[in-house]
Amino acid sequence: MNSTNNLLVELFVEELPPKALKKLGDAFAGVLAEQLKAQGLAAADAVVTPFASPRRLAAHVTGVAARAADKAVSQKLMPVSVGLDASGQPTPALLKRLGALGADASAVAGLKRAPDGKAEALFYDSVQPGVDLAAGLQKALDEAIAKLPIPKVMSYQLETDCELPGWSSVNFVRPAHGLVALHGAERVPVKALGLTAGKATHGHRFEAAVDPVVLADADAYAATLLRDGAVIASFAERKAEIARQLAAAAASVGGGCKPIEDDALLDEVTALVERPNVLTCAFEKQFLDVPQECLILTMKANQKYFPLLDAQGKLTNQFLVVSNISPDDASAVIGGNERVVRPRLADAKFFFDQDRKKTLESRVEGLGKVVYHNKLGTQGERVERVRAIAKAIGQQLGGQALAQSADTAARLAKTDLLTDMVGEFPELQGIMGGYYARHDGLSEDIAFAIEDHYKPRFAGDELPRTMTGVVVALADKLETLVGMFGIGNLPTGDKDPFALRRHALGVIRMLVEKDLPLDLNDLIKHANGAFAGVTGHVAAKAAAQYLRSKSDWDGFYQSIATDMQPLSDFIYDRLAGSLREQGASAQEVDAVLTLRPQRLADVAPRLQAVRAFAVLPEAPALAAANKRIGNILKKSEGEGGAAVNPALFAEAAEKDLYAAMQTTVPAANAKFAAGDYTDSLQALAALRAPVDAFFDGVMVNADDPALKANRLGLLKSLHDAMNRVADLSRLAA
């Protein structure tokens, strides 16, 4: 009888890397279950529950069979012409193949013939016995361990159950000390990492009620560990318990206090404790004079604490600690954490006080001593390029006043890289620059621009708050993109060390969400002007050819447009991906972006117009006609006349189409010029009937060259009119 029971597998190890724990737990359970299902030991709908704590990886799988069901297998042997001789007798090759499968000549009579391509082949039907759980689980466990996404492997020696105790070594993320494998209440005899599976594990390092913790059966795992071992084995349940305790502790403080929201920190702390106990601690209020971002960062990054914010979002002098022990008197734990955090906060205060002794302006010269990139020079040289780009953008968007404020902010934006605070906490670059700018007496506009010029730092981040900040942020990102593409330093695969994809998305978001009247290719071309003197950059090569002797800026920009086409394509690719993530179909995105609209702020209304057009009953026919026209024009390139001559029309259908275009196209163009892309496209719907009639009754490739050229000219005019908002042919089925 093939019994079915739930299965529990646990690997007990030394403390696992906290930032990788969740991924390790999910991978261990996922691969183990996947392998059991592949071998027929677990059903496709088996429920898999991962467990992961600092000292264990485990998986619970429902409905696992003690032995997989036997399986009928049909194996192709060889072509009939190879397996049987002219008299129908088996050849030595066939007999050898059958022998390899455990059969003999008596099986020849039962072989099946079936077509296999152009020839007929012999097939051997057999029943493959199902694998038993011990063998199947051994394979699954080996595979689960081998496929763990281990950040760094340790090598350690085995003391028992190995060929050379004290010498035989294994590689794993951390030394393993125990293995449990239970099928219901029965132990499954599997081995891994020099360990043999048993029924006992270990609980909390300090607070377990008993040790070892003996498991009655697979289903008792989590409850027994909690009761006898003082361990919440489930990562998700432990995380939820920490979140609950954090909220309760904050509520007990009062005043509308809330712990800072940081899911990554919550995951990391969940991976550090087995039974959480949240405690409330405090530090001296004098440290609140330091910018709260500094204090929050040092508490989170160095101590894994949860700072408490008041109802207005301001940092309080209290914080929450997630302890792994629950003593009756927690005063020693609280005091210890308060004592540990004090030097950290004192360091932050010292850095802040020291940094304010020098102005940002006095640090500008020092940027010339900091290397930015070996092919692009120093940070000082980079700042000069950002300034040039920012002034040009500012002049275009807001005249001299905006250009001047953008120039000031750009000159000072990188100076906080030389401060002690940013040296200790690089994550605070920009933020500290804003604080120091205010201390130096600079305006809020400049301070905000310095603080915001790195934004957006990540997906969903807010954009710069002021137009000066937008200009400097745009200039900073363009300088990075143009600089890196200009020296051939492009992202490859998942490697993007200079975050060029993020910079491209930042440029897109600012152009779109701030509705900036700027042309993308113009921005790229003019940004290259700042690199004209950078040896090794494509702009320097173009400058040597067009600027040094004749100041031919048109030739320079034309050359740069060709060299920078990969950057333009890169940005449009990022935009296409972003639009698809927002719900647009690939066809709709392709229709709009094929035209390469230079003002990215126009893309969203164009996309909306395409969606509205696509639901019209005339849309499929017009899209198909547009595609047909495009193909005709492509094959007849250069044959169309410069202008359409109505006197040459010979067929009523072409006259009717021309007449319809005289009213429809100007109306559509007027709507287009006004930015009403939806009405512009919908106006073209009236052309469906005359377009259909034209293709039904007119031969475009007429024998008369003048007639043919005139008809091609008419189609060219129609094609241009239909594709101003988007390439409608991309909507054709």
Side-chain angles (χ1 to χ4, degrees), residues 664-686:
T664 301
V665 172
N669 288 344
K671 294 292 187 183
F672 180 87
D676 189 348
Y677 301 131
T678 299
D679 282 355
S680 177
L681 274 184
Q682 295 196 345
L684 296 172

Side-chain angles (χ1 to χ4, degrees), residues 506-718:
V507 169
I508 291 166
R509 282 192 59 198
M510 283 185 280
L511 291 175
V512 172
E513 295 177 33
K514 295 294 184 179
D515 197 17
L516 300 181
L518 300 171
D519 288 0
L520 178 62
N521 281 349
D522 284 348
L523 285 172
I524 293 172
K525 285 191 298 183
H526 288 92
N528 272 276
F531 289 87
V534 180
T535 304
H537 193 280
V538 293
K541 299 172 187 175
Q545 183 177 357
Y546 295 101
L547 300 183
R548 289 182 186 171
S549 58
K550 48 189 175 181
S551 295
D552 181 5
W553 282 97
D554 288 339
F556 173 79
Y557 288 137
Q558 188 173 355
S559 174
I560 283 300
T562 302
D563 291 331
M564 282 288 146
Q565 189 60 45
L567 174 55
S568 179
D569 293 342
F570 179 76
I571 293 175
Y572 280 110
D573 285 346
R574 304 280 78 70
L575 175 58
S578 175
L579 293 171
R580 288 193 294 269
E581 286 176 4
Q582 294 171 40
S585 72
Q587 274 186 318
E588 294 165 349
V589 172
D590 198 21
V592 172
L593 295 190
T594 294
L595 300 185
R596 288 292 193 261
Q598 287 303 296
R599 295 200 174 184
L600 300 192
D602 280 353
V603 169
R606 286 175 187 247
L607 198 57
Q608 185 178 359
V610 167
R611 285 175 170 166
F613 174 79
V615 299
L616 296 175
E618 298 88 352
L622 284 174
N626 190 280
K627 185 174 183 179
R628 183 176 179 182
I629 293 169
N631 291 335
I632 291 171
L633 294 175
K634 190 180 296 182
K635 292 177 182 177
S636 309
E637 194 169 352
E639 296 185 53
V644 178
N645 183 358
L648 293 178
F649 292 145
E651 303 290 346
E654 57 187 326
K655 295 176 184 177
D656 292 344
L657 175 58
Y658 180 76
M661 288 173 61
Q662 299 315 295
T663 55
T664 301
V665 172
N669 288 344
K671 294 292 187 183
F672 180 87
D676 189 348
Y677 301 131
T678 299
D679 282 355
S680 177
L681 274 184
Q682 295 196 345
L684 296 172
L687 293 175
R688 177 191 171 173
V691 167
D692 287 347
F694 177 89
F695 282 114
D696 287 342
V698 177
M699 174 68 71
V700 177
N701 293 321
D703 293 333
D704 183 344
L707 197 58
K708 178 181 178 181
N710 199 53
R711 289 171 177 171
L712 288 172
L714 178 62
L715 291 182
K716 176 73 165 58
S717 299
L718 177 61

Side-chain angles (χ1 to χ4, degrees), residues 140-446:
L141 182 58
D142 292 342
E143 194 75 10
I145 291 173
K147 289 188 175 180
L148 280 178
I150 298 174
K152 204 168 187 179
V153 172
M154 286 183 67
S155 180
Y156 61 95
Q157 284 67 47
L158 300 176
E159 297 296 335
T160 59
D161 201 12
C162 61
E163 186 178 349
L164 296 171
W167 291 92
S168 297
S169 64
V170 293
N171 297 320
F172 194 54
V173 59
R174 292 291 185 270
H177 296 292
L179 178 64
V180 173
L182 291 177
H183 185 233
E186 296 297 318
R187 182 183 71 87
V188 185
V190 292
K191 295 184 177 184
L193 304 173
L195 302 167
T196 301
K199 299 182 67 171
T201 183
H202 302 275
H204 195 286
R205 192 181 286 277
F206 308 111
E207 300 189 345
V210 296
D211 187 60
V213 176
V214 179
L215 304 172
D217 57 49
D219 293 342
Y221 177 70
T224 304
L225 260 183
L226 181 60
R227 183 189 69 239
D228 297 342
V231 170
I232 301 175
S234 166
F235 188 96
E237 289 178 16
R238 208 162 57 254
K239 181 177 178 179
E241 174 61 16
I242 293 173
R244 185 195 67 76
Q245 289 190 36
L246 288 172
S252 68
V253 171
C257 284
K258 292 193 299 185
I260 196 161
E261 293 182 8
D262 189 326
D263 200 57
L265 176 62
L266 185 55
D267 276 348
E268 189 173 359
V269 170
T270 303
L272 287 168
V273 299
E274 293 199 304
R275 187 173 71 169
N277 178 33
V278 173
L279 304 171
T280 304
C281 306
F283 58 82
E284 290 80 358
K285 289 188 176 182
Q286 68 185 45
F287 291 121
L288 293 176
D289 294 337
V290 179
Q292 69 176 41
E293 292 89 346
C294 308
L295 305 181
I296 290 171
L297 184 59
T298 191
M299 283 192 281
K300 284 169 39 177
N302 296 322
Q303 303 304 134
K304 315 305 176 191
Y305 296 158
F306 288 84
L308 281 176
L309 307 179
D310 64 19
Q312 287 72 46
K314 298 293 184 183
L315 181 67
T316 70
N317 71 317
Q318 292 180 289
F319 59 94
L320 303 178
V321 175
V322 182
S323 174
N324 194 36
I325 56 175
S326 304
D328 294 333
D329 180 5
S331 59
V333 179
I334 293 171
N337 281 283
E338 291 176 344
R339 186 169 60 253
V340 166
V341 80
R342 196 171 294 117
R344 295 284 188 184
L345 303 183
D347 285 347
K349 187 176 187 307
F350 174 78
F351 294 146
F352 185 55
D353 291 341
Q354 290 298 112
D355 287 342
R356 288 182 296 169
K357 292 178 180 179
K358 291 180 66 175
T359 64
L360 293 181
E361 186 67 46
S362 69
R363 298 179 187 272
V364 172
E365 186 178 347
L367 291 172
K369 301 174 184 177
V370 180
V371 174
Y372 165 55
H373 190 281
N374 62 351
K375 292 184 180 179
L376 297 174
T378 66
Q379 284 286 2
E381 292 169 321
R382 183 189 182 203
V383 164
E384 291 305 309
R385 294 193 293 266
V386 174
R387 287 179 66 187
I389 299 168
K391 281 193 286 188
I393 296 173
Q395 187 70 42
Q396 190 172 350
L397 291 177
Q400 186 59 34
L402 182 56
Q404 184 59 48
S405 61
D407 181 43
T408 301
R411 187 176 75 255
L412 301 175
K414 303 296 181 185
T415 52
D416 68 352
L417 296 176
L418 302 179
T419 63
D420 291 338
M421 186 70 83
V422 174
E424 181 72 14
F425 301 112
E427 301 93 331
L428 296 177
Q429 56 188 324
I431 294 171
M432 295 314 302
Y435 279 107
Y436 297 145
R438 294 182 185 92
H439 180 265
D440 293 348
L442 296 171
S443 68
E444 280 293 302
D445 183 48
I446 299 298

